[in-house]
Amino acid sequence: QLQLQESGPGLVKPSETLSLTCTVSGGSISSSGYYWGWIRQPPGKGLEWIGSIYYSGRSTYYNPSLKSRVSIALDTSKNQLSLKLNSVTAADTAVFYCARLVVIISTSYFDSWGRGTLVTVSS
Amino acid sequence: SSELTQDPAVSVALGQTVTITCQGDSLRSYYASWYQQKPGQAPTLVIYDKRNRPSGIPDRFSGSGSGNTASLTITGAQAEDEADYYCNSRDTSGYPVVFGGGTKLTVL
């Protein structure tokens, strides 16, 4: 069974870069046809899609509201995906999830999720 | 990018049927998928591609849709169904994902 686990600092200072890693087990991030993505959820608020990357690493899509600050990458040697969000502010405080994304002609959906990790932006 | 709109809160009596809706222009082109999220937990996929249930999801959960509206119906709501529910679909602007704002379901 596919398992995803987010890891990284739980506290980041304002203006610095938030860096998270998602380790995938029980399957390969190079599995053909899948995307991998990051989603965040500020405390008490809804889900916000951050961005997604194709299994080959050749295509990335970012939420337009975050595009100028975000970068997602794959490390196939470690079966990991990463997230970098720079110039963070308190508004970036959230639980961050990694998930596997299925994109087909008719729809898209996240079929496996990590447990999430809380990142607080504060000095 | 597109937006998906959900009612912030819905309630249902125990054992009754409830429908949660999701509206948006992208739903005229793409089907919706639905997630259940309980407090302190990650979301769980309950319906994908309009009406398909992943393995392990009770058959009281069903999905449908028409025009710019997608619906998640729980037939015979149980206490354990009390949760937040989110819809998502593809975005007509070319992005692979757009989420609805979520609906808090209370089972009375």
Side-chain angles (χ1 to χ4, degrees):
Chain A
Q1 183 176 353
L2 193 70
Q3 292 188 325
L4 298 86
Q5 178 67 58
E6 305 87 351
S7 60
L11 181 64
V12 180
K13 290 182 169 55
S15 80
E16 295 190 345
T17 296
L18 180 160
S19 295
L20 295 177
T21 298
C22 175
T23 300
V24 178
S25 58
S28 172
I29 62 169
S30 299
S31 295
S32 179
Y34 289 106
Y35 286 79
W36 301 88
W38 290 95
I39 304 99
R40 71 179 182 177
Q41 185 172 36
K45 296 188 178 181
L47 302 173
E48 180 181 30
W49 172 67
I50 297 171
S52 296
I53 185 167
Y54 199 41
Y55 77 98
S56 65
R58 293 182 180 178
S59 295
T60 52
Y61 296 88
Y62 299 123
N63 187 317
S65 68
L66 298 170
K67 185 176 182 179
S68 63
R69 300 195 291 131
V70 68
S71 176
I72 295 174
L74 297 178
D75 185 335
T76 55
S77 67
K78 296 180 180 179
N79 220 33
Q80 294 176 334
L81 68 155
S82 64
L83 168 70
K84 292 187 185 301
L85 181 66
N86 58 37
S87 304
V88 297
T89 69
D92 294 311
T93 294
V95 174
F96 287 77
Y97 298 99
C98 60
R100 188 174 73 175
L101 174 64
V102 177
V103 181
I104 54 178
I105 292 175
S106 56
T107 192
S108 69
Y109 54 92
F110 292 98
D111 66 349
S112 293
W113 294 68
R115 290 187 175 186
T117 186
L118 174 63
V119 179
T120 301
V121 179
S122 175
S123 55
Chain B
S1 61
S2 304
E3 292 185 353
L4 296 177
T5 301
Q6 298 182 240
D7 290 330
V10 172
S11 63
V12 61
L14 184 66
Q16 296 303 301
T17 297
V18 62
T19 297
I20 298 169
T21 60
C22 174
Q23 291 188 303
D25 287 341
S26 64
L27 298 180
R28 297 187 184 278
S29 302
Y30 302 110
Y31 292 145
S33 300
W34 293 89
Y35 307 86
Q36 176 193 69
Q37 186 181 35
K38 296 182 179 180
Q41 297 184 17
T44 298
L45 182 69
V46 294
I47 293 289
Y48 65 96
D49 201 14
K50 182 175 178 179
R51 60 174 73 250
N52 297 291
R53 276 191 316 276
S55 174
I57 301 301
D59 61 5
R60 63 179 179 272
F61 289 89
S62 63
S64 62
S66 179
N68 73 334
T69 302
S71 300
L72 171 70
T73 298
I74 307 174
T75 303
Q78 302 300 301
E80 61 263 33
D81 300 333
E82 186 164 288
D84 294 327
Y85 291 85
Y86 295 90
C87 61
N88 97 272
S89 80
R90 292 180 62 171
D91 188 323
T92 52
S93 300
Y95 299 101
V97 178
V98 58
F99 278 111
T103 297
K104 181 177 181 60
L105 175 66
T106 300
V107 179
L108 304 172

